[in-house]
């Protein structure tokens, strides 16, 4: 099954993608994670993306479309995947259609802006990819990753002011995708302002219907 997760920054796309992918045995593809990895490895693409990502702006379409084209050609995508954070603009969605992706479902995880701001300010991450939350997903030892012992930090783009910019970008450039996929009959909306397990149940239900 080929699935897209839409939703504002911090709506829980990454959290749910991980759960749904382990349930369905398909890969989760996060353009944000791919870009951050390139950034920490200092690759040419990472350097190109740095100023955009840190300012809460979208990385140019041609860069992310190139990333996705290459990733979807990998063998592990043959049986399906969850796209987390792509597409984020109408040109990206059109490019995905032009690749012949034939997406089955688009799940929009809806969370009010006020709840997003609270979630993002409490998020802490580790360079190994693990994420935590200072209120409801604390590590056993403060500031230290349970999985690898690495030091936890706040993503630069999780600073409160940058979160507001990311929300603005989301409303202007990404929200129109709801209409784009609704017209294709693929859109399902899930209330993301609920406990994590409950959202997973709603997402699985949305994938059936
Ligand atoms: P990306 O990494 O995709 O960031 P994002 O969409 O802003 O998503 P986040 O990872 O911040 O949030 P999420 O929805 O995955 O939520 P999560 O599960 O982590 O992109 C970063 C940047 O890369 C972009 O700003 C852009 O610059 C660039 N980029 C990426 N893709 C691009 C594209 N296609 N085009 C152009 N540029 C692109 O949850 C958030 C927090 O909330 C966590 O702490 C979690 O524990 C907690 N949480 C989750 N669910 C719940 C819940 N139900 N209740 C309470 N807390 C919860």
């Amino acid at each position: 099954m080929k699935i897209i997760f839409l939703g504002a920054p911090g709506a829980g796309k990454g959290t749910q993608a991980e759960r749904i992918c382990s349930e369905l045995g398909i890969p989760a593809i996060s353009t944000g994670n791919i870009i951050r990895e390139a950034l920490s490895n200092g690759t040419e693409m990472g350097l190109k993306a740095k100023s955009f990502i840190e300012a809460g702006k979208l990385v140019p379409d041609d860069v992310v479309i190139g990333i996705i084209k290459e990733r979807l050609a990998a063998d592990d995508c043959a049986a399906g995947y969850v796209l987390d954070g792509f597409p984020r603009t109408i040109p990206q969605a059109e490019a995905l259609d032009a690749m012949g992706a034939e997406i089955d479902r688009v799940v929009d995880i809806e969370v009010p802006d006020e709840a997003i701001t609270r979630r993002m300010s409490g998020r802490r991450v580790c360079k190994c990819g693990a994420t935590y939350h200072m209120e409801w997903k604390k590590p056993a030892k403060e500031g230290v990753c349970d999985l690898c012992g690495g030091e936890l930090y706040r993503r630069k783009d999780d600073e409160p002011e940058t979160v507001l910019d990311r929300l603005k970008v989301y409303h202007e450039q990404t929200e129109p995708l709801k209409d784009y996929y609704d017209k294709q009959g693929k859109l399902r909306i899930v209330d993301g302002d609920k406990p994590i397990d409950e959202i997973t149940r709603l997402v699985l239900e949305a994938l059936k219907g």
Side-chain angles (χ1 to χ4, degrees), residues 13-108:
K13 303 181 296 296
T15 304
Q16 296 301 330
E18 203 177 290
R19 292 168 150 234
I20 299 299
C21 286
S22 73
E23 177 86 20
L24 302 182
I26 52 177
I29 301 171
S30 156
T31 37
N33 286 347
I34 296 173
I35 296 167
R36 276 186 293 276
E37 200 181 320
L39 218 151
S40 69
N41 291 336
T43 67
E44 196 186 327
M45 189 266 281
L47 293 175
K48 243 189 201 172
K50 190 176 191 302
S51 60
F52 295 98
I53 199 165
E54 287 183 353
K57 296 199 175 100
L58 293 184
V59 172
D61 284 339
D62 61 326
V63 176
V64 272
I65 290 167
I67 292 173
I68 284 294
K69 209 170 194 171
E70 200 181 310
R71 182 63 187 88
L72 297 189
D75 290 346
D76 66 337
C77 291
Y81 43 78
V82 171
L83 290 179
D84 156 20
F86 184 93
R88 266 180 148 99
T89 63
I90 298 284
Q92 290 179 20
E94 289 170 347
L96 189 62
D97 285 345
M99 286 174 216
E102 295 183 357
I103 296 298
D104 299 293
R105 279 278 172 274
V106 178
V107 179
D108 177 44

Side-chain angles (χ1 to χ4, degrees), residues 134-154:
M134 301 324 288
E135 284 179 65
W136 44 78
K137 195 185 167 195
K138 293 181 184 173
K141 188 173 170 207
E142 200 185 323
V144 178
C145 178
D146 292 345
L147 301 182
C148 75
E151 193 183 335
L152 302 183
Y153 61 94
R154 182 190 245 177

